[in-house]
Amino acid sequence: MIKMINENPGEVTLVATAPLTNLAVAVQLNPKISKKLKALYIMGGNTESRGNTTTCGEFNFVADPEAAYIVLDRYTCPTYIATWEFSCRNSLPWSWCDELLALNTPKANFVKTISSLSNKKAQSADYQKEITEGKGFNSCDTYALAAAINDTLITKSEEVAVTVELEGNFTRGMMVLDYMGQLKKKHKVFIMKEIDKEKLKQMFMNSMK
């Protein structure tokens, strides 16, 4: 990853859909890569202290809070975050999901097979305790990836400085938004707020052909 970024400055867009350990290690090994990226898209974190793994933490950040802290502190390229709440609010109807997986193409059949367990889990009573609002097909990681492919999908976002709580008994791993400017950070990230669902649906459909 470091080699690719250094050889192609300003051309590489990273999409992070898991704990940020590798990105944190990379920027510590080579601090200059943080400015050489074209953009960084992250699925992770939360904005309203509603967790899906701990009381106040989203899985990707809770799995390695220190890594999330380092990434949000040291990467100074344009950074876009699809949070847990954002993905919940933009869930797609299960009826549409059924239509997507019924296309009977090799890709659709493959996705149907590998997602059967997670889709069953997503419709369970236990999962309903994790979501902040809305019901339906919540493909969390896809929002970050889709935005990286076509940034016009995101119709509303807010720019704010962020960090990650590392100490709290209940809030370790929670993303903190600094609206008051107390962190004195020059670099701010873009928190995704709204997405064009119709464009997203069409992107899904096209990808299954």
Side-chain angles (χ1 to χ4, degrees), residues 1 13-24 37 39-45 58 60-61 67-68 71-72 75 78-83 140-146 148 192:
M1 181 172 68
T13 295
L14 277 182
V15 182
T17 59
L20 300 173
T21 308
N22 57 341
L23 273 71
L37 280 174
L40 172 61
Y41 287 79
I42 298 171
M43 190 284 133
E58 179 275 333
N60 287 342
F61 279 27
V71 169
L72 295 181
Y75 279 80
T79 303
Y80 306 84
I81 301 179
T83 65
C140 310
D141 299 342
T142 305
Y143 297 104
L145 183 58
M192 301 179 197

PDB file of all heavy atoms in Angstrom, residues 1 13-24 37 39-45 58 60-61 67-68 71-72 75 78-83 140-146 148 192:
ATOM      1  N   MET A   1       0.825  -1.198   0.000  1.00  0.00           N
ATOM      2  CA  MET A   1       0.000   0.000   0.000  1.00  0.00           C
ATOM      3  C   MET A   1       0.867   1.259   0.000  1.00  0.00           C
ATOM      4  O   MET A   1       0.607   2.209  -0.748  1.00  0.00           O
ATOM      5  CB  MET A   1      -0.924  -0.007   1.216  1.00  0.00           C
ATOM      6  CG  MET A   1      -1.854   1.189   1.305  1.00  0.00           C
ATOM      7  SD  MET A   1      -3.084   1.024   2.618  1.00  0.00           S
ATOM      8  CE  MET A   1      -2.031   1.133   4.069  1.00  0.00           C
ATOM      9  N   THR A  13      -7.071   6.472  -4.181  1.00  0.00           N
ATOM     10  CA  THR A  13      -8.159   6.643  -3.224  1.00  0.00           C
ATOM     11  C   THR A  13      -8.277   5.367  -2.408  1.00  0.00           C
ATOM     12  O   THR A  13      -8.426   4.281  -2.972  1.00  0.00           O
ATOM     13  CB  THR A  13      -9.493   6.918  -3.938  1.00  0.00           C
ATOM     14  OG1 THR A  13      -9.414   8.174  -4.614  1.00  0.00           O
ATOM     15  CG2 THR A  13     -10.646   6.969  -2.937  1.00  0.00           C
ATOM     16  N   LEU A  14      -8.210   5.486  -1.098  1.00  0.00           N
ATOM     17  CA  LEU A  14      -8.339   4.327  -0.216  1.00  0.00           C
ATOM     18  C   LEU A  14      -9.759   4.250   0.332  1.00  0.00           C
ATOM     19  O   LEU A  14     -10.344   5.269   0.711  1.00  0.00           O
ATOM     20  CB  LEU A  14      -7.366   4.425   0.957  1.00  0.00           C
ATOM     21  CG  LEU A  14      -5.922   3.971   0.747  1.00  0.00           C
ATOM     22  CD1 LEU A  14      -5.148   4.120   2.052  1.00  0.00           C
ATOM     23  CD2 LEU A  14      -5.860   2.529   0.272  1.00  0.00           C
ATOM     24  N   VAL A  15     -10.298   3.039   0.381  1.00  0.00           N
ATOM     25  CA  VAL A  15     -11.602   2.808   0.994  1.00  0.00           C
ATOM     26  C   VAL A  15     -11.394   1.817   2.131  1.00  0.00           C
ATOM     27  O   VAL A  15     -10.994   0.672   1.906  1.00  0.00           O
ATOM     28  CB  VAL A  15     -12.621   2.250  -0.013  1.00  0.00           C
ATOM     29  CG1 VAL A  15     -13.978   2.061   0.661  1.00  0.00           C
ATOM     30  CG2 VAL A  15     -12.752   3.179  -1.219  1.00  0.00           C
ATOM     31  N   ALA A  16     -11.648   2.254   3.354  1.00  0.00           N
ATOM     32  CA  ALA A  16     -11.432   1.421   4.541  1.00  0.00           C
ATOM     33  C   ALA A  16     -12.774   0.960   5.094  1.00  0.00           C
ATOM     34  O   ALA A  16     -13.585   1.783   5.519  1.00  0.00           O
ATOM     35  CB  ALA A  16     -10.663   2.208   5.596  1.00  0.00           C
ATOM     36  N   THR A  17     -13.001  -0.350   5.088  1.00  0.00           N
ATOM     37  CA  THR A  17     -14.289  -0.888   5.535  1.00  0.00           C
ATOM     38  C   THR A  17     -14.120  -1.887   6.675  1.00  0.00           C
ATOM     39  O   THR A  17     -14.961  -2.758   6.873  1.00  0.00           O
ATOM     40  CB  THR A  17     -15.020  -1.571   4.367  1.00  0.00           C
ATOM     41  OG1 THR A  17     -14.203  -2.638   3.856  1.00  0.00           O
ATOM     42  CG2 THR A  17     -15.313  -0.573   3.254  1.00  0.00           C
ATOM     43  N   ALA A  18     -13.030  -1.751   7.408  1.00  0.00           N
ATOM     44  CA  ALA A  18     -12.732  -2.659   8.518  1.00  0.00           C
ATOM     45  C   ALA A  18     -11.976  -1.861   9.575  1.00  0.00           C
ATOM     46  O   ALA A  18     -11.753  -0.657   9.405  1.00  0.00           O
ATOM     47  CB  ALA A  18     -11.899  -3.837   8.007  1.00  0.00           C
ATOM     48  N   PRO A  19     -11.582  -2.487  10.676  1.00  0.00           N
ATOM     49  CA  PRO A  19     -10.733  -1.775  11.636  1.00  0.00           C
ATOM     50  C   PRO A  19      -9.524  -1.172  10.930  1.00  0.00           C
ATOM     51  O   PRO A  19      -8.995  -1.743   9.971  1.00  0.00           O
ATOM     52  CB  PRO A  19     -10.331  -2.891  12.618  1.00  0.00           C
ATOM     53  CG  PRO A  19     -11.513  -3.812  12.602  1.00  0.00           C
ATOM     54  CD  PRO A  19     -11.972  -3.828  11.171  1.00  0.00           C
ATOM     55  N   LEU A  20      -9.063  -0.027  11.405  1.00  0.00           N
ATOM     56  CA  LEU A  20      -8.091   0.782  10.665  1.00  0.00           C
ATOM     57  C   LEU A  20      -6.633   0.485  11.009  1.00  0.00           C
ATOM     58  O   LEU A  20      -5.751   1.314  10.784  1.00  0.00           O
ATOM     59  CB  LEU A  20      -8.392   2.261  10.909  1.00  0.00           C
ATOM     60  CG  LEU A  20      -9.789   2.707  10.463  1.00  0.00           C
ATOM     61  CD1 LEU A  20     -10.064   4.141  10.902  1.00  0.00           C
ATOM     62  CD2 LEU A  20      -9.944   2.572   8.958  1.00  0.00           C
ATOM     63  N   THR A  21      -6.376  -0.700  11.503  1.00  0.00           N
ATOM     64  CA  THR A  21      -5.035  -1.077  11.951  1.00  0.00           C
ATOM     65  C   THR A  21      -3.978  -0.903  10.869  1.00  0.00           C
ATOM     66  O   THR A  21      -2.913  -0.320  11.106  1.00  0.00           O
ATOM     67  CB  THR A  21      -5.034  -2.539  12.433  1.00  0.00           C
ATOM     68  OG1 THR A  21      -6.089  -2.720  13.390  1.00  0.00           O
ATOM     69  CG2 THR A  21      -3.705  -2.890  13.083  1.00  0.00           C
ATOM     70  N   ASN A  22      -4.259  -1.409   9.666  1.00  0.00           N
ATOM     71  CA  ASN A  22      -3.247  -1.340   8.603  1.00  0.00           C
ATOM     72  C   ASN A  22      -2.955   0.094   8.177  1.00  0.00           C
ATOM     73  O   ASN A  22      -1.812   0.448   7.881  1.00  0.00           O
ATOM     74  CB  ASN A  22      -3.661  -2.195   7.401  1.00  0.00           C
ATOM     75  CG  ASN A  22      -5.008  -1.807   6.827  1.00  0.00           C
ATOM     76  OD1 ASN A  22      -5.813  -1.150   7.487  1.00  0.00           O
ATOM     77  ND2 ASN A  22      -5.270  -2.220   5.601  1.00  0.00           N
ATOM     78  N   LEU A  23      -3.972   0.943   8.164  1.00  0.00           N
ATOM     79  CA  LEU A  23      -3.748   2.342   7.798  1.00  0.00           C
ATOM     80  C   LEU A  23      -2.932   3.064   8.863  1.00  0.00           C
ATOM     81  O   LEU A  23      -2.088   3.906   8.549  1.00  0.00           O
ATOM     82  CB  LEU A  23      -5.080   3.066   7.588  1.00  0.00           C
ATOM     83  CG  LEU A  23      -5.692   2.973   6.183  1.00  0.00           C
ATOM     84  CD1 LEU A  23      -6.202   1.565   5.924  1.00  0.00           C
ATOM     85  CD2 LEU A  23      -6.808   3.990   6.018  1.00  0.00           C
ATOM     86  N   ALA A  24      -3.186   2.727  10.122  1.00  0.00           N
ATOM     87  CA  ALA A  24      -2.440   3.350  11.215  1.00  0.00           C
ATOM     88  C   ALA A  24      -0.973   2.937  11.170  1.00  0.00           C
ATOM     89  O   ALA A  24      -0.070   3.765  11.351  1.00  0.00           O
ATOM     90  CB  ALA A  24      -3.058   2.964  12.556  1.00  0.00           C
ATOM     91  N   LEU A  37      -2.352  10.789  -0.634  1.00  0.00           N
ATOM     92  CA  LEU A  37      -3.589  10.153  -1.071  1.00  0.00           C
ATOM     93  C   LEU A  37      -4.503  11.165  -1.758  1.00  0.00           C
ATOM     94  O   LEU A  37      -4.568  12.330  -1.363  1.00  0.00           O
ATOM     95  CB  LEU A  37      -4.335   9.561   0.125  1.00  0.00           C
ATOM     96  CG  LEU A  37      -3.865   8.215   0.666  1.00  0.00           C
ATOM     97  CD1 LEU A  37      -4.624   7.883   1.942  1.00  0.00           C
ATOM     98  CD2 LEU A  37      -4.065   7.117  -0.363  1.00  0.00           C
ATOM     99  N   ALA A  39      -7.804  10.659  -1.751  1.00  0.00           N
ATOM    100  CA  ALA A  39      -8.896  10.732  -0.779  1.00  0.00           C
ATOM    101  C   ALA A  39      -8.928   9.454   0.044  1.00  0.00           C
ATOM    102  O   ALA A  39      -8.395   8.418  -0.363  1.00  0.00           O
ATOM    103  CB  ALA A  39     -10.238  10.935  -1.475  1.00  0.00           C
ATOM    104  N   LEU A  40      -9.567   9.549   1.197  1.00  0.00           N
ATOM    105  CA  LEU A  40      -9.758   8.398   2.077  1.00  0.00           C
ATOM    106  C   LEU A  40     -11.230   8.309   2.447  1.00  0.00           C
ATOM    107  O   LEU A  40     -11.814   9.272   2.945  1.00  0.00           O
ATOM    108  CB  LEU A  40      -8.913   8.556   3.347  1.00  0.00           C
ATOM    109  CG  LEU A  40      -9.140   7.540   4.470  1.00  0.00           C
ATOM    110  CD1 LEU A  40      -8.830   6.127   4.006  1.00  0.00           C
ATOM    111  CD2 LEU A  40      -8.293   7.910   5.692  1.00  0.00           C
ATOM    112  N   TYR A  41     -11.825   7.154   2.186  1.00  0.00           N
ATOM    113  CA  TYR A  41     -13.223   6.904   2.535  1.00  0.00           C
ATOM    114  C   TYR A  41     -13.258   5.831   3.614  1.00  0.00           C
ATOM    115  O   TYR A  41     -12.633   4.774   3.477  1.00  0.00           O
ATOM    116  CB  TYR A  41     -14.023   6.441   1.317  1.00  0.00           C
ATOM    117  CG  TYR A  41     -14.296   7.541   0.316  1.00  0.00           C
ATOM    118  CD1 TYR A  41     -13.315   7.941  -0.588  1.00  0.00           C
ATOM    119  CD2 TYR A  41     -15.527   8.191   0.281  1.00  0.00           C
ATOM    120  CE1 TYR A  41     -13.554   8.959  -1.502  1.00  0.00           C
ATOM    121  CE2 TYR A  41     -15.777   9.207  -0.633  1.00  0.00           C
ATOM    122  CZ  TYR A  41     -14.786   9.581  -1.522  1.00  0.00           C
ATOM    123  OH  TYR A  41     -15.033  10.588  -2.426  1.00  0.00           O
ATOM    124  N   ILE A  42     -14.000   6.102   4.683  1.00  0.00           N
ATOM    125  CA  ILE A  42     -14.052   5.190   5.825  1.00  0.00           C
ATOM    126  C   ILE A  42     -15.493   4.825   6.146  1.00  0.00           C
ATOM    127  O   ILE A  42     -16.360   5.694   6.210  1.00  0.00           O
ATOM    128  CB  ILE A  42     -13.424   5.843   7.076  1.00  0.00           C
ATOM    129  CG1 ILE A  42     -11.944   6.161   6.840  1.00  0.00           C
ATOM    130  CG2 ILE A  42     -13.594   4.952   8.303  1.00  0.00           C
ATOM    131  CD1 ILE A  42     -11.318   7.000   7.948  1.00  0.00           C
ATOM    132  N   MET A  43     -15.743   3.531   6.341  1.00  0.00           N
ATOM    133  CA  MET A  43     -17.004   3.129   6.949  1.00  0.00           C
ATOM    134  C   MET A  43     -16.677   2.813   8.399  1.00  0.00           C
ATOM    135  O   MET A  43     -15.936   1.878   8.694  1.00  0.00           O
ATOM    136  CB  MET A  43     -17.584   1.882   6.265  1.00  0.00           C
ATOM    137  CG  MET A  43     -19.029   1.553   6.710  1.00  0.00           C
ATOM    138  SD  MET A  43     -19.162   0.806   8.339  1.00  0.00           S
ATOM    139  CE  MET A  43     -20.473   1.796   9.041  1.00  0.00           C
ATOM    140  N   GLY A  44     -17.227   3.605   9.297  1.00  0.00           N
ATOM    141  CA  GLY A  44     -16.940   3.360  10.705  1.00  0.00           C
ATOM    142  C   GLY A  44     -17.281   4.564  11.554  1.00  0.00           C
ATOM    143  O   GLY A  44     -17.589   5.644  11.054  1.00  0.00           O
ATOM    144  N   GLY A  45     -17.224   4.358  12.840  1.00  0.00           N
ATOM    145  CA  GLY A  45     -17.501   5.442  13.764  1.00  0.00           C
ATOM    146  C   GLY A  45     -18.987   5.710  13.920  1.00  0.00           C
ATOM    147  O   GLY A  45     -19.820   5.153  13.207  1.00  0.00           O
ATOM    148  N   GLU A  58     -19.025   1.835  17.603  1.00  0.00           N
ATOM    149  CA  GLU A  58     -19.242   1.093  16.353  1.00  0.00           C
ATOM    150  C   GLU A  58     -18.108   0.095  16.162  1.00  0.00           C
ATOM    151  O   GLU A  58     -16.966   0.368  16.525  1.00  0.00           O
ATOM    152  CB  GLU A  58     -19.311   2.098  15.193  1.00  0.00           C
ATOM    153  CG  GLU A  58     -19.512   1.496  13.819  1.00  0.00           C
ATOM    154  CD  GLU A  58     -18.203   1.055  13.179  1.00  0.00           C
ATOM    155  OE1 GLU A  58     -17.151   1.646  13.516  1.00  0.00           O
ATOM    156  OE2 GLU A  58     -18.239   0.126  12.346  1.00  0.00           O
ATOM    157  N   ASN A  60     -15.969  -1.186  13.815  1.00  0.00           N
ATOM    158  CA  ASN A  60     -14.661  -0.947  13.206  1.00  0.00           C
ATOM    159  C   ASN A  60     -13.758  -0.073  14.070  1.00  0.00           C
ATOM    160  O   ASN A  60     -12.539  -0.266  14.096  1.00  0.00           O
ATOM    161  CB  ASN A  60     -14.827  -0.302  11.823  1.00  0.00           C
ATOM    162  CG  ASN A  60     -15.324  -1.288  10.790  1.00  0.00           C
ATOM    163  OD1 ASN A  60     -15.235  -2.502  10.977  1.00  0.00           O
ATOM    164  ND2 ASN A  60     -15.863  -0.772   9.696  1.00  0.00           N
ATOM    165  N   PHE A  61     -14.335   0.882  14.775  1.00  0.00           N
ATOM    166  CA  PHE A  61     -13.535   1.752  15.637  1.00  0.00           C
ATOM    167  C   PHE A  61     -13.259   1.086  16.983  1.00  0.00           C
ATOM    168  O   PHE A  61     -12.171   1.225  17.538  1.00  0.00           O
ATOM    169  CB  PHE A  61     -14.241   3.093  15.847  1.00  0.00           C
ATOM    170  CG  PHE A  61     -14.059   4.064  14.707  1.00  0.00           C
ATOM    171  CD1 PHE A  61     -13.818   3.618  13.414  1.00  0.00           C
ATOM    172  CD2 PHE A  61     -14.139   5.431  14.915  1.00  0.00           C
ATOM    173  CE1 PHE A  61     -13.654   4.505  12.358  1.00  0.00           C
ATOM    174  CE2 PHE A  61     -13.971   6.334  13.870  1.00  0.00           C
ATOM    175  CZ  PHE A  61     -13.726   5.871  12.590  1.00  0.00           C
ATOM    176  N   ALA A  67      -5.926   2.725  16.555  1.00  0.00           N
ATOM    177  CA  ALA A  67      -5.725   2.862  15.113  1.00  0.00           C
ATOM    178  C   ALA A  67      -6.657   3.925  14.536  1.00  0.00           C
ATOM    179  O   ALA A  67      -6.248   4.758  13.723  1.00  0.00           O
ATOM    180  CB  ALA A  67      -5.964   1.524  14.419  1.00  0.00           C
ATOM    181  N   ALA A  68      -7.919   3.893  14.951  1.00  0.00           N
ATOM    182  CA  ALA A  68      -8.874   4.897  14.470  1.00  0.00           C
ATOM    183  C   ALA A  68      -8.419   6.297  14.872  1.00  0.00           C
ATOM    184  O   ALA A  68      -8.505   7.248  14.082  1.00  0.00           O
ATOM    185  CB  ALA A  68     -10.265   4.600  15.029  1.00  0.00           C
ATOM    186  N   VAL A  71      -5.439   7.334  12.598  1.00  0.00           N
ATOM    187  CA  VAL A  71      -5.861   7.629  11.224  1.00  0.00           C
ATOM    188  C   VAL A  71      -6.556   8.984  11.149  1.00  0.00           C
ATOM    189  O   VAL A  71      -6.264   9.808  10.273  1.00  0.00           O
ATOM    190  CB  VAL A  71      -6.782   6.518  10.690  1.00  0.00           C
ATOM    191  CG1 VAL A  71      -7.442   6.944   9.381  1.00  0.00           C
ATOM    192  CG2 VAL A  71      -5.985   5.231  10.481  1.00  0.00           C
ATOM    193  N   LEU A  72      -7.463   9.242  12.070  1.00  0.00           N
ATOM    194  CA  LEU A  72      -8.192  10.512  12.039  1.00  0.00           C
ATOM    195  C   LEU A  72      -7.317  11.689  12.456  1.00  0.00           C
ATOM    196  O   LEU A  72      -7.643  12.840  12.170  1.00  0.00           O
ATOM    197  CB  LEU A  72      -9.426  10.427  12.939  1.00  0.00           C
ATOM    198  CG  LEU A  72     -10.485   9.418  12.494  1.00  0.00           C
ATOM    199  CD1 LEU A  72     -11.678   9.435  13.444  1.00  0.00           C
ATOM    200  CD2 LEU A  72     -10.946   9.694  11.069  1.00  0.00           C
ATOM    201  N   TYR A  75      -3.931  11.421   9.010  1.00  0.00           N
ATOM    202  CA  TYR A  75      -4.220  11.504   7.573  1.00  0.00           C
ATOM    203  C   TYR A  75      -4.831  12.873   7.286  1.00  0.00           C
ATOM    204  O   TYR A  75      -5.873  13.221   7.840  1.00  0.00           O
ATOM    205  CB  TYR A  75      -5.166  10.386   7.141  1.00  0.00           C
ATOM    206  CG  TYR A  75      -4.468   9.062   6.923  1.00  0.00           C
ATOM    207  CD1 TYR A  75      -4.144   8.247   8.005  1.00  0.00           C
ATOM    208  CD2 TYR A  75      -4.107   8.638   5.647  1.00  0.00           C
ATOM    209  CE1 TYR A  75      -3.486   7.036   7.817  1.00  0.00           C
ATOM    210  CE2 TYR A  75      -3.453   7.431   5.448  1.00  0.00           C
ATOM    211  CZ  TYR A  75      -3.144   6.632   6.541  1.00  0.00           C
ATOM    212  OH  TYR A  75      -2.486   5.437   6.346  1.00  0.00           O
ATOM    213  N   PRO A  78      -8.263  14.603   1.854  1.00  0.00           N
ATOM    214  CA  PRO A  78      -9.724  14.676   1.982  1.00  0.00           C
ATOM    215  C   PRO A  78     -10.267  13.348   2.517  1.00  0.00           C
ATOM    216  O   PRO A  78      -9.978  12.285   1.962  1.00  0.00           O
ATOM    217  CB  PRO A  78     -10.182  14.939   0.546  1.00  0.00           C
ATOM    218  CG  PRO A  78      -9.024  15.648  -0.083  1.00  0.00           C
ATOM    219  CD  PRO A  78      -7.805  15.000   0.504  1.00  0.00           C
ATOM    220  N   THR A  79     -11.016  13.416   3.605  1.00  0.00           N
ATOM    221  CA  THR A  79     -11.479  12.208   4.292  1.00  0.00           C
ATOM    222  C   THR A  79     -12.995  12.233   4.434  1.00  0.00           C
ATOM    223  O   THR A  79     -13.563  13.227   4.900  1.00  0.00           O
ATOM    224  CB  THR A  79     -10.833  12.108   5.691  1.00  0.00           C
ATOM    225  OG1 THR A  79      -9.401  12.134   5.551  1.00  0.00           O
ATOM    226  CG2 THR A  79     -11.246  10.826   6.394  1.00  0.00           C
ATOM    227  N   TYR A  80     -13.625  11.136   4.045  1.00  0.00           N
ATOM    228  CA  TYR A  80     -15.085  11.038   4.055  1.00  0.00           C
ATOM    229  C   TYR A  80     -15.486   9.828   4.897  1.00  0.00           C
ATOM    230  O   TYR A  80     -14.949   8.733   4.710  1.00  0.00           O
ATOM    231  CB  TYR A  80     -15.620  10.889   2.630  1.00  0.00           C
ATOM    232  CG  TYR A  80     -15.151  11.982   1.701  1.00  0.00           C
ATOM    233  CD1 TYR A  80     -13.917  11.900   1.060  1.00  0.00           C
ATOM    234  CD2 TYR A  80     -15.933  13.111   1.475  1.00  0.00           C
ATOM    235  CE1 TYR A  80     -13.470  12.906   0.219  1.00  0.00           C
ATOM    236  CE2 TYR A  80     -15.501  14.124   0.634  1.00  0.00           C
ATOM    237  CZ  TYR A  80     -14.269  14.016   0.010  1.00  0.00           C
ATOM    238  OH  TYR A  80     -13.831  15.021  -0.823  1.00  0.00           O
ATOM    239  N   ILE A  81     -16.439  10.030   5.807  1.00  0.00           N
ATOM    240  CA  ILE A  81     -16.816   8.952   6.720  1.00  0.00           C
ATOM    241  C   ILE A  81     -18.300   8.617   6.599  1.00  0.00           C
ATOM    242  O   ILE A  81     -19.166   9.492   6.732  1.00  0.00           O
ATOM    243  CB  ILE A  81     -16.493   9.328   8.180  1.00  0.00           C
ATOM    244  CG1 ILE A  81     -14.992   9.619   8.330  1.00  0.00           C
ATOM    245  CG2 ILE A  81     -16.910   8.207   9.127  1.00  0.00           C
ATOM    246  CD1 ILE A  81     -14.574  10.017   9.734  1.00  0.00           C
ATOM    247  N   ALA A  82     -18.562   7.337   6.345  1.00  0.00           N
ATOM    248  CA  ALA A  82     -19.928   6.809   6.379  1.00  0.00           C
ATOM    249  C   ALA A  82     -20.109   6.158   7.744  1.00  0.00           C
ATOM    250  O   ALA A  82     -19.565   5.087   8.006  1.00  0.00           O
ATOM    251  CB  ALA A  82     -20.134   5.785   5.263  1.00  0.00           C
ATOM    252  N   THR A  83     -20.816   6.815   8.625  1.00  0.00           N
ATOM    253  CA  THR A  83     -20.952   6.332   9.996  1.00  0.00           C
ATOM    254  C   THR A  83     -22.044   5.274  10.118  1.00  0.00           C
ATOM    255  O   THR A  83     -22.818   5.030   9.189  1.00  0.00           O
ATOM    256  CB  THR A  83     -21.294   7.492  10.947  1.00  0.00           C
ATOM    257  OG1 THR A  83     -22.595   8.002  10.591  1.00  0.00           O
ATOM    258  CG2 THR A  83     -20.265   8.607  10.848  1.00  0.00           C
ATOM    259  N   CYS A 140     -23.523  -1.685   5.108  1.00  0.00           N
ATOM    260  CA  CYS A 140     -22.712  -0.579   5.648  1.00  0.00           C
ATOM    261  C   CYS A 140     -21.525  -0.188   4.765  1.00  0.00           C
ATOM    262  O   CYS A 140     -21.375   0.972   4.382  1.00  0.00           O
ATOM    263  CB  CYS A 140     -22.184  -0.951   7.025  1.00  0.00           C
ATOM    264  SG  CYS A 140     -23.406  -1.574   8.170  1.00  0.00           S
ATOM    265  N   ASP A 141     -20.682  -1.174   4.463  1.00  0.00           N
ATOM    266  CA  ASP A 141     -19.446  -0.888   3.736  1.00  0.00           C
ATOM    267  C   ASP A 141     -19.702  -0.318   2.350  1.00  0.00           C
ATOM    268  O   ASP A 141     -18.907   0.471   1.827  1.00  0.00           O
ATOM    269  CB  ASP A 141     -18.607  -2.160   3.608  1.00  0.00           C
ATOM    270  CG  ASP A 141     -18.206  -2.735   4.956  1.00  0.00           C
ATOM    271  OD1 ASP A 141     -18.273  -1.987   5.951  1.00  0.00           O
ATOM    272  OD2 ASP A 141     -17.836  -3.914   5.012  1.00  0.00           O
ATOM    273  N   THR A 142     -20.814  -0.734   1.760  1.00  0.00           N
ATOM    274  CA  THR A 142     -21.110  -0.320   0.391  1.00  0.00           C
ATOM    275  C   THR A 142     -21.244   1.187   0.255  1.00  0.00           C
ATOM    276  O   THR A 142     -20.905   1.755  -0.790  1.00  0.00           O
ATOM    277  CB  THR A 142     -22.410  -0.994  -0.097  1.00  0.00           C
ATOM    278  OG1 THR A 142     -22.275  -2.402   0.048  1.00  0.00           O
ATOM    279  CG2 THR A 142     -22.695  -0.659  -1.542  1.00  0.00           C
ATOM    280  N   TYR A 143     -21.715   1.854   1.297  1.00  0.00           N
ATOM    281  CA  TYR A 143     -21.910   3.298   1.212  1.00  0.00           C
ATOM    282  C   TYR A 143     -20.584   4.021   1.006  1.00  0.00           C
ATOM    283  O   TYR A 143     -20.493   4.956   0.204  1.00  0.00           O
ATOM    284  CB  TYR A 143     -22.611   3.812   2.470  1.00  0.00           C
ATOM    285  CG  TYR A 143     -23.995   3.240   2.648  1.00  0.00           C
ATOM    286  CD1 TYR A 143     -24.248   2.237   3.576  1.00  0.00           C
ATOM    287  CD2 TYR A 143     -25.056   3.688   1.872  1.00  0.00           C
ATOM    288  CE1 TYR A 143     -25.515   1.696   3.725  1.00  0.00           C
ATOM    289  CE2 TYR A 143     -26.328   3.159   2.010  1.00  0.00           C
ATOM    290  CZ  TYR A 143     -26.551   2.155   2.942  1.00  0.00           C
ATOM    291  OH  TYR A 143     -27.799   1.620   3.078  1.00  0.00           O
ATOM    292  N   ALA A 144     -19.563   3.600   1.727  1.00  0.00           N
ATOM    293  CA  ALA A 144     -18.250   4.226   1.568  1.00  0.00           C
ATOM    294  C   ALA A 144     -17.672   3.929   0.189  1.00  0.00           C
ATOM    295  O   ALA A 144     -17.120   4.813  -0.473  1.00  0.00           O
ATOM    296  CB  ALA A 144     -17.301   3.729   2.657  1.00  0.00           C
ATOM    297  N   LEU A 145     -17.809   2.681  -0.246  1.00  0.00           N
ATOM    298  CA  LEU A 145     -17.274   2.296  -1.550  1.00  0.00           C
ATOM    299  C   LEU A 145     -18.014   2.998  -2.681  1.00  0.00           C
ATOM    300  O   LEU A 145     -17.396   3.500  -3.635  1.00  0.00           O
ATOM    301  CB  LEU A 145     -17.369   0.780  -1.720  1.00  0.00           C
ATOM    302  CG  LEU A 145     -16.792   0.204  -3.013  1.00  0.00           C
ATOM    303  CD1 LEU A 145     -15.323   0.565  -3.156  1.00  0.00           C
ATOM    304  CD2 LEU A 145     -16.980  -1.307  -3.050  1.00  0.00           C
ATOM    305  N   ALA A 146     -19.334   3.053  -2.583  1.00  0.00           N
ATOM    306  CA  ALA A 146     -20.132   3.703  -3.622  1.00  0.00           C
ATOM    307  C   ALA A 146     -19.785   5.187  -3.730  1.00  0.00           C
ATOM    308  O   ALA A 146     -19.681   5.738  -4.831  1.00  0.00           O
ATOM    309  CB  ALA A 146     -21.617   3.527  -3.330  1.00  0.00           C
ATOM    310  N   ALA A 148     -16.958   6.551  -2.987  1.00  0.00           N
ATOM    311  CA  ALA A 148     -15.623   6.677  -3.575  1.00  0.00           C
ATOM    312  C   ALA A 148     -15.681   6.537  -5.094  1.00  0.00           C
ATOM    313  O   ALA A 148     -14.935   7.201  -5.821  1.00  0.00           O
ATOM    314  CB  ALA A 148     -14.692   5.619  -2.986  1.00  0.00           C
ATOM    315  N   MET A 192     -20.743  11.952   6.084  1.00  0.00           N
ATOM    316  CA  MET A 192     -21.864  11.782   5.158  1.00  0.00           C
ATOM    317  C   MET A 192     -23.187  11.841   5.911  1.00  0.00           C
ATOM    318  O   MET A 192     -23.332  11.241   6.977  1.00  0.00           O
ATOM    319  CB  MET A 192     -21.747  10.440   4.431  1.00  0.00           C
ATOM    320  CG  MET A 192     -20.476  10.266   3.635  1.00  0.00           C
ATOM    321  SD  MET A 192     -20.416   8.647   2.830  1.00  0.00           S
ATOM    322  CE  MET A 192     -18.661   8.546   2.442  1.00  0.00           C
TER     323      MET A 192
END
